[in-house]
Structure formats: C-alpha cells, structure tokens
Amino acid sequence: EFEAAYKDMATNALRWDMLTDKLAEQEKIEVSQQDTENIIKRFAESYKITPEEASQALAKSGKATSIRNSILERKVVEFLFEKAGIKTT
C-alpha cells in the first residue's frame, strides 16, 4: 500500500515536472540571471553571509539547479494563474 501511494506521488511529480518544462519551453518562460541573483541575495541575508558565500554554498550543496527549477515552476504557475484570470494578491 505504501509503495503504491509513493509510486503515485512520484508519477504525479514527474508529470508536473514534464508539464512545467514543456509549458515553459512553449511560452518562452525563462529563469534570468537576475531571478537567480535575487534568490541568492535573500538566502545570504537570511543567513547573514555574503551573496558570494551563499552562491558557493548553494553550488557546493548541489542546490543551484533545484533553485532554478523552483523559480521556473513559480513563473509557470504565475503564468497559468494569469491566463486563468486568477489574482494571487
């Protein structure tokens, strides 16, 4: 039962990733250098380190790609809300 539930979650996560990637490609939604720098700056401020230290820590931990993916996902969701006429603020 646990395996079936985990398999469903993994399948749904994979589908979501594929959908967001494809939609981002079709709609030309991209993560800019500025987007990434803003996240790194906030991370650095919250841990009271320099942006350079934050960038190095994130790269060393392998989180840089995950951050980019999170930003892309957020942008795709914002795009979908906008297209659907849903206001988030």
Side-chain angles (χ1 to χ4, degrees), residues 3-75:
E3 287 180 23
Y6 185 73
K7 181 180 177 185
D8 287 344
M9 287 187 337
T11 300
N12 288 336
L14 182 59
R15 285 180 179 157
W16 176 250
D17 287 345
M18 291 170 56
L19 175 67
T20 56
D21 288 346
K22 187 65 173 177
L23 190 55
E25 179 184 323
Q26 287 180 341
E27 297 299 326
K28 296 178 178 42
I29 300 170
E30 297 178 345
V31 176
S32 70
Q33 183 67 30
Q34 187 65 44
D35 294 328
T36 305
E37 288 173 6
N38 289 341
I39 295 293
I40 290 170
K41 185 176 179 182
R42 282 187 280 183
F43 178 81
E45 289 171 356
S46 68
Y47 285 96
K48 300 187 184 343
I49 58 177
T50 67
E52 293 76 22
E53 291 170 323
S55 182
Q56 289 172 358
L58 292 168
K60 187 175 181 181
S61 69
K63 298 291 185 195
T65 300
S66 147
I67 289 170
R68 184 208 165 277
N69 292 341
S70 294
I71 295 168
L72 184 63
E73 182 176 349
R74 178 184 48 81
K75 286 183 156 197

